[in-house]
Amino acid sequence: TPLSENIDEVKWGEVKLSDLFRIEKTKGFNTNLLSEGDEFDYVTRSSFNNGILQSTGKVQEQNLNPSKCWSLGLLQMDFFYRERPWYAGQFIRKIIPQFSLTKESIPFFTTLLNNQKGKLLSVLVRHIDETFLNSKVSMPFSKEGKIDFDFINSFMKQLEIERLEVLKSYLTASGAPDFCLTKEETLAITSLKTKEFKNFKVTDIFNIKNTSNLLSRDIKENSGSTPYLCASAENNGVSSFISYDDPSFLNRGNCVFIGGKTFVVSYQEKDFFSNDSHNLALYLKEKKYSHKDILLGLATCINLSLRHRYSWGNSISSQKIKHDFVTPPLNNGQPDFETLGHLTSALKKLVLKSVNDFVTEKTSKLITQ
């Protein structure tokens, strides 16, 4: 049965998050207290790598947080499910379910929690707990008037099957199963062991521009085909696709984009509109190297070089970035753009191969169940 038909047959009702979860503070500490080992995750406010900065051995028993719950980073309000016990950095909450959690239902509740991000970002940190617990969400209800956890489990199983079909289609469109690395891509990976890196001023590599400031109240969502960007880490920063009559607000694509207030870095291939003049567009000065794979690699370099410097209360700007440095690979004293591009291309193929392996394995398991 199509998912849409299942949803139409279900009765939905509002539930307070306080009926589903507890929210608790964690005892955070800095990285200098971490130890060698791979038993636990060290979770920070980062939106990357599921919030995990690194692995660690045992540190302090009283600081250890349990598995089978969610972490909440009080920067971009990202919720991540924690598969194993974990330690926390500063400004992290743990979200503990008050119901029996199943493997199938984890993605459902992760999505439900992350749908609260907009509301949580609009309040001060001291109001986070109260705002979270008083928020209401829609849940499926059984005929007996109780939350229908059985429907959630069956719905998510069916959704997984459909998503696997989508992944198969994506892989086909991406040229799968050709995951073979070229000579240049292989060399780019092996050279990392001996490759030198050097700090360069960001302004020596890029021309920096403030983006246009097209407020959300002045646009009509889903009215066209031009990306409308915000400072979100989701969907490559695209909040909608719009049309707008005034071309002076249009920003040129093929650039590294920085969401200023939250320091989210992405590559933007197409021309775009931007929702905030705090956002920055970085254009490579050496135009002969200004193509997608190289700029994707440079976006990663920018993120790794600068993300520790900026936060919600200390946002980046076109003036501040003039004093910042980025650390790309080096060749004859200059940034090695070609190696960076080959490395990015190789990583894309390796990721596609891992997705293909995942789809094959999951499909096989679903068939045998």
Side-chain angles (χ1 to χ4, degrees):
T1 307
L3 288 175
S4 57
E5 293 184 20
N6 281 353
I7 292 174
D8 291 340
E9 294 173 358
V10 173
K11 180 182 178 181
W12 295 77
E14 285 192 336
V15 177
K16 289 182 70 172
L17 285 180
S18 58
D19 294 329
L20 295 169
F21 302 98
R22 296 201 318 268
I23 181 170
E24 298 180 357
K25 293 182 179 179
T26 59
K27 295 181 179 179
F29 56 85
N30 295 325
T31 55
N32 60 336
L33 294 177
L34 300 180
S35 63
E36 291 187 10
D38 189 38
E39 304 167 65
F40 310 104
D41 296 323
Y42 178 67
V43 177
T44 67
R45 292 172 288 169
S46 172
S47 296
F48 300 93
N49 194 31
N50 213 44
I52 300 169
L53 180 65
Q54 67 181 82
S55 297
T56 180
K58 196 166 188 178
V59 182
Q60 296 172 344
E61 185 68 40
Q62 65 268 29
N63 286 40
L64 189 61
N65 300 293
S67 61
K68 304 187 188 314
C69 66
W70 284 263
S71 62
L72 168 61
L74 303 184
L75 175 59
Q76 294 192 56
M77 302 301 166
D78 290 311
F79 294 83
F80 293 114
Y81 181 70
R82 307 267 56 107
E83 289 278 0
R84 61 181 190 168
W86 53 287
Y87 292 104
Q90 303 297 326
F91 301 105
I92 304 290
R93 296 286 197 271
K94 54 187 172 186
I95 310 299
I96 303 171
Q98 302 301 292
F99 53 89
S100 296
L101 194 63
T102 63
K103 179 183 66 176
E104 292 80 11
S105 66
I106 291 169
F108 177 91
F109 287 104
T110 299
T111 302
L112 180 145
L113 289 169
N114 277 299
N115 281 341
Q116 311 308 310
K117 287 175 61 171
K119 183 184 297 184
L120 297 179
L121 284 170
S122 69
V123 300
L124 298 175
V125 170
R126 65 174 177 266
H127 299 310
I128 290 297
D129 294 15
E130 178 186 1
T131 302
F132 174 84
L133 293 172
N134 287 324
S135 296
K136 293 182 178 180
V137 294
S138 292
M139 294 287 292
F141 276 76
S142 66
K143 294 179 180 179
E144 293 75 26
K146 297 181 180 180
I147 296 175
D148 197 341
F149 291 101
D150 288 338
F151 168 77
I152 293 173
N153 292 332
S154 61
F155 178 86
M156 296 309 295
K157 283 182 181 179
Q158 191 173 350
L159 182 61
E160 183 177 25
I161 294 172
E162 293 194 6
R163 291 297 169 87
L164 286 173
E165 292 299 324
V166 172
L167 280 174
K168 286 181 183 178
S169 301
Y170 173 78
L171 288 167
T172 300
S174 301
D178 181 15
F179 308 120
C180 296
L181 301 182
T182 65
K183 178 181 177 181
E184 292 79 10
E185 290 166 348
T186 302
L187 182 61
I189 292 176
T190 56
S191 69
L192 281 177
K193 297 178 181 178
T194 56
K195 200 72 178 172
E196 292 185 19
F197 292 76
K198 180 183 175 182
N199 285 341
F200 291 86
K201 291 191 72 173
V202 175
T203 50
D204 289 340
I205 296 178
F206 293 99
N207 291 316
I208 314 295
K209 291 188 177 181
N210 285 97
T211 64
S212 61
N213 186 12
L214 187 56
L215 299 178
S216 57
R217 66 174 180 239
D218 297 326
I219 63 106
K220 183 179 179 181
E221 291 189 354
N222 304 315
S223 59
S225 57
T226 303
Y228 178 64
L229 305 185
C230 60
S232 170
E234 297 180 350
N235 198 30
N236 209 47
V238 179
S239 66
S240 184
F241 290 91
I242 67 168
S243 62
Y244 196 74
D245 294 336
D246 189 345
S248 67
F249 284 93
L250 191 65
N251 303 276
R252 183 164 50 88
N254 199 37
C255 67
V256 175
F257 174 83
I258 301 178
K261 290 181 179 178
T262 55
F263 196 77
V264 171
V265 185
S266 62
Y267 166 70
Q268 298 298 329
E269 184 173 11
K270 299 180 180 179
D271 294 351
F272 61 91
F273 294 108
S274 173
N275 75 332
D276 199 319
S277 58
H278 288 277
N279 298 336
L280 302 178
L282 281 58
Y283 298 93
L284 196 60
K285 287 186 173 181
E286 293 200 43
K287 297 189 185 303
K288 66 178 180 178
Y289 295 118
S290 191
H291 61 78
K292 185 174 183 178
D293 286 342
I294 290 175
L295 288 169
L296 278 168
L298 285 170
T300 300
C301 291
I302 289 286
N303 180 53
L304 294 175
S305 298
L306 302 184
R307 68 185 183 190
H308 66 285
R309 290 177 54 82
Y310 297 106
S311 62
W312 183 263
N314 178 32
S315 59
I316 197 169
S317 68
S318 58
Q319 291 302 312
K320 290 179 181 178
I321 202 171
K322 291 179 180 179
H323 306 287
D324 289 328
F325 292 84
V326 63
T327 313
L330 198 63
N331 183 34
N332 293 325
Q334 296 300 316
D336 191 350
F337 296 125
E338 289 186 352
T339 292
L340 192 58
H342 291 314
L343 181 62
T344 303
S345 177
L347 290 174
K348 286 196 295 185
K349 288 182 179 179
L350 292 173
V351 168
L352 283 174
K353 185 179 185 306
S354 68
V355 172
N356 184 70
D357 293 342
F358 169 80
V359 169
T360 302
E361 180 183 357
K362 293 291 286 186
T363 302
S364 177
K365 287 183 178 178
L366 288 171
I367 292 173
T368 56
Q369 284 180 355

